[in-house]
Amino acid sequence: MIKNYFRIAFRNLWRNKTFSFITVFGLAVGLTCCLLLFMYVSHELSYDNFQQKADRIVRVTMEYSLDGNVGKAPVTGTKVAPEFVRAFPEVEAGVRLMNSSAIVRHGDQRFNEKRVVYADSSLFRVFSFGLLKGNPQTALAGPNQLVLSKSTARKYFGTEDPLGKVVRVDARRGESDYTITGVVEDAPLNSQIKYDILASFSTLDVSKREEWWSANYATYLLLRTPEALAGLKAKVPGYMKSKSAETEMVGNNYLSYNLEPLRRVHLHSEVEGNFEPNGDLLYIYIFGSIAVLILIIACVNYVNLATTRAVERAQEVGVRKVMGALPTQLFGQFIGESIIITFIALLLGLLLSSLALPLFNQLSDRQFSFNQWLEPANLLVVVGIGVVVSLIAGIYPALVLTRYQPVRVLKGHLKTTGAGNFRRTLIVFQFAITAFLIISTFVVQNQLKYIQNKKLGYDKEHVVILPADRQVGEKIQALKSEFKQNSSVQQVSMAYESPVFVKGGYAMRRSDMPEDQYKMVAGLPVDEDFVKTMGLRILAGSDLTRQDMQLAPVMFGDTANYYHFIINEAAAKELGWTPQQAVGQKIDMGQNRKGEVKAVVENFHFASMRDKIGPLVIFPEGYGNVVLVKLSGSQLTNTLQFMENKWNTLIPSRPFEYEFLDQEFNKLYATETRTGRIFSVFAFLSIFLACLGLFGLSAYTTALRTKEIGIRKVLGASIGSIVALLSQEFLKLVLIAIVIASPLAWYAMDRWLQDFTYRIDIPWWTFLVAGVLAVGVALLTVSIQSIKAALMNPVKSLKTE
Amino acid sequence: MLRTTNLQKVFTTEEVETTALNGIDMEIKDGEFVAIMGPSGCGKSTLLNILGLLDNPSEGVYDFYGTDVSKMSERQRAQIRKGNIGFVFQSFNLIDELTVYENVELPLLYLKTPPNERKDRVEAALTRMNMMHRRNHFPQQLSGGQQQRTAIARAVVATPKTILADEPTGNLDSKNGEEVMNLLRQLNEGGTTIIMVTHSPYDAGFAHRIVNLFDGKIVTEKVHV
Ligand SMILES: Nc1ncnc2c1ncn2[C@@H]1O[C@H](COP(=O)(O)OP(=O)(O)OP(=O)(O)O)[C@@H](O)[C@H]1O
Ligand SMILES: [Mg+2]
């Protein structure tokens, strides 16, 4: 019997090639989207699952309050880990980590390593990073020890055994030799801790002191039992209060710590990630929904085509019933058919998704590999998806088919299938999803364009950022004059960080304010050429000079000097001054920087457009992590080559690296850009799938109406009126869909835009364009069929009955 | 033996009620060959469908070999149908996606006949209907007569006691029609009860008894000798 079903199924597929193609290919494309998005979602959800002790590990984040300003940070001082192990019996171990970068030299090779992580030797006790070579107890125990990841080891040493080898590491804190004491598995892609090289924490000077402040270290604790977390969490604030003399947080000020279960960090933490940006639950929902929606569109195609074609199968159903088939047997047969079709589509979908994987990786900024599908757990999900889709798509057509009464169908032709309204509802539903995705795409793209084109208040075009360090700082004057020999180089400046996203937080006060009052502001140490290089507009006062630089200390802690500050409009307003009033006023930045306002600059976007522009203080200080170079924009390649040559002669210790400021700027909106791209691709696919279904359906209904068309033509109907006749029904449905989708899309997108302080209003024409687009494509699809039918010779079509 | 008592069938559509059968009392003995005749729309097919357990009467009793089947569910009727009744239609009703062999095999599949026996019986039926040489053809590749012979092979393959035929020669020319009638007669001679609806007096001549319907009622019965 099963064999008979298979035969029928395959012969049906083979005989109606157009429909089979539409059904199978449509499902396959839908399943491909679903599989890829599932991969993304499951990857995000699987973060840190591989850690065997995950349920006992917590991340410690810092929370402090200074005069009502509450701050949260993903880092702590060096004291937290050792102190908590001593003070709380429920803590079994603690580990401190610091993410850094370094230039590593091995022989005459030089590598710029961006993921060097300093870690306590307890790392291997707490986390399940598999040590391939070396002793987990001692590998990170002493100073100047390195554990390389497997791929880093291969990069440096090939097949040689790296254990015991010595490399020279030039980190921010100076240069020294390190001995390689181990090789560790590469950090899994779904690990919140990412490293290429692990270095012993005891190498750092700070490891010798235990401090609450100087919070630069990620701290993780291993608890004795998972249940201990709640109790410990409750104890911490009280404990920290008892230490207020040490932390110097008195009165209403406090310093305390939150504990987050390891597996919640990536998606649920309100504090950012230490090693890479955290994921966003919102986008998990968005991508998950898109996957489901696309799959629904594909299923709807199957249901619609299958129920339409049920007419053709009616006779078969009748015959089988007469032969004694039970309704359950017939139901089983048609569900079986849908399972066969779905699994053919699933195989095709797996093939398509493996082909589309590189593209999807680019789209989603991830590194998935096809092998992930072959893991048993995922394979189970794939099969599960197949079964669910077969059932969702198959049940309704199977019911329709099984319901046929043999006495009715065997009598002769059966013209209607009775599922007309259901089918219409599904088409509306399908196109509503499509219209929703199109509108959302437009809105996301528009917001991104708005961000791109918004006047930032500084020049982001043709500005090159060169990562720098202490040694570059020492040579900065020479570098500037060398660079400027090239006429394309307009300005060169050194700054603590790029103006795209200024993170540094400082306590600022007007000198006439009481000692314990201050305002939290962003602060950016720069040199005298910064304002010119970035094209900031001075509203009052004058720019920094070389002399201002000399008055300020070269190194932090040198207190005898006097600062000239540049503040932005927002800072002036915060302190109660107009730009003109502000100039010449005395202010302090923290304890050690006293001076006066020298200029006020126009507000510029030094943070994400999600937030309002806040107060900012720019001040002269002779150290920085970036060199900013403003170019004229002509002869870019030559100029960069020129700069590289100069750099290499002046600063041989550090490789020349550059990035454009607008690239850096775009990184701020990487998530949104990614979402925008994913939206576009899937909106396109959804419209493609919906039209594929419409194409099949219109082909079929047109074929059913061949006779009617013939009669109408004989009676004198024009081709145009026949095309209109055949198309209007579908167009009506698409229009209803757009009307339904528009308010929903408006609501959803307005919610999304609320994340941005600087945002577009959803333009009314998005709905118009989305509507015209959906209707246009649908019309095109339907009219291919109806024009063909309308052009057919009526004599021929009348003969078909 | 089949016996109906006061059989009624009323079709209710949106506006109209059609009484297709109005008090049919008839008895058909094992091994009989009965022809049902009458003008178009008088209820012949309706009666045949009820006799063949494809449909339920609205009222009345239908005694099928000692069981009243008039109120049975589709499921129960399907169980009785298979193996007991074979059908031959005017429009053949072969499944286009199955070959001649597979079409004939179908009733045995639903009876869960073991594969070896199935093969023997399908081949025997095909040989009897002279369709063995066409067993791997699809219905569209056959003439009308060949299609009807296949349909008859399918009707007899499960060796049912009763065969119902609704205008079996309606779509055939006279030569093919004659051939089909001869096959039915041979089956009847072998002991199978045959109930046939026909418009053709010539075909009706093959039957032992002719039942004339008019407006859902039996008007005359004529017995051949
Ligand atoms: N499913 C149905 N719904 C409504 N009315 C029906 C249905 N089937 C049959 N009828 C009506 O019942 C009456 C008898 O129909 P039936 O098909 O039995 O006629 P018939 O004697 O077989 O005619 P013909 O010789 O043309 O095949 C007709 O008036 C017909 O319109
Ligand atoms: Mg009839």
Side-chain angles (χ1 to χ4, degrees), chain B residues 12-182:
Chain B
T12 322
T13 50
E14 275 126 46
E15 283 128 39
V16 278
E17 276 201 355
T18 316
T19 308
L21 296 178
N22 191 6
I24 302 283
D25 296 307
M26 68 188 289
E27 200 181 288
I28 294 160
K29 297 193 187 65
D30 289 3
E32 250 195 304
F33 190 151
V34 178
I36 300 174
M37 295 190 77
S40 189
C42 69
K44 302 182 296 289
S45 299
T46 308
L47 177 60
L48 203 68
N49 288 338
I50 293 174
L51 292 177
L53 277 79
L54 291 176
D55 208 353
N56 274 339
S58 316
E59 248 174 74
V61 177
Y62 177 20
D63 180 344
F64 185 86
Y65 292 96
T67 322
D68 179 13
V69 295
S70 59
K71 307 251 158 16
M72 282 188 169
S73 68
E74 160 64 22
R75 203 186 163 80
Q76 292 168 309
R77 280 186 275 123
Q79 289 290 8
I80 299 181
R81 219 158 46 216
K82 52 181 175 187
N84 286 320
I85 307 174
F87 290 88
V88 180
F89 302 92
Q90 175 181 352
S91 52
F92 321 133
N93 279 324
L94 298 172
I95 296 179
D96 291 340
E97 281 76 22
L98 298 181
T99 61
V100 165
Y101 185 96
E102 289 157 358
N103 264 292
V104 174
E105 187 186 26
L106 209 53
L108 300 181
L109 289 174
Y110 284 112
L111 281 170
K112 302 199 165 63
T113 311
N116 282 338
E117 189 189 337
R118 206 160 67 208
K119 184 163 173 285
D120 294 346
R121 287 171 71 169
V122 173
E123 283 176 0
L126 285 173
T127 312
R128 224 164 127 196
M129 297 301 142
N130 193 22
M131 284 300 296
M132 224 13 219
H133 59 303
R134 301 277 175 191
R135 64 182 186 281
N136 290 325
H137 287 220
F138 284 92
Q140 263 108 32
Q141 301 164 330
L142 303 175
S143 73
Q146 289 168 331
Q147 290 192 45
Q148 196 60 304
R149 285 191 342 246
T150 308
I152 296 174
R154 186 178 63 183
V156 301
V157 72
T159 54
K161 285 188 283 232
T162 311
I163 286 183
L164 302 182
D166 196 344
E167 301 183 37
T169 60
N171 279 1
L172 301 176
D173 60 29
S174 57
K175 183 176 159 283
N176 278 309
E178 174 87 30
E179 206 176 280
V180 164
M181 288 315 298
N182 280 324

Side-chain angles (χ1 to χ4, degrees), chain A residues 581-599:
Chain A
Q581 288 167 344
V583 175
Q585 300 277 0
K586 299 245 184 300
I587 60 172
D588 302 351
M589 284 280 275
Q591 297 290 312
N592 301 319
R593 299 185 189 83
K594 293 184 190 305
E596 65 180 53
V597 175
K598 189 171 186 203

Side-chain angles (χ1 to χ4, degrees), chain B residues 200-220:
Chain B
S200 149
Y202 176 77
D203 290 355
F206 285 78
H208 304 147
R209 177 155 65 108
I210 298 172
V211 174
N212 276 300
L213 283 192
F214 188 79
D215 255 3
K217 290 195 184 95
I218 297 177
V219 283
T220 55

Side-chain angles (χ1 to χ4, degrees), chain A residues 92-117:
Chain A
E92 186 181 319
V95 55
R96 296 167 296 182
L97 303 160
M98 187 183 72
N99 199 14
S100 183
S101 60
I103 291 158
V104 179
R105 270 179 305 178
H106 168 242
D108 34 356
Q109 289 173 292
R110 220 168 41 158
F111 299 98
N112 191 352
E113 295 294 350
K114 297 237 167 63
R115 304 199 304 184
V116 179
V117 174

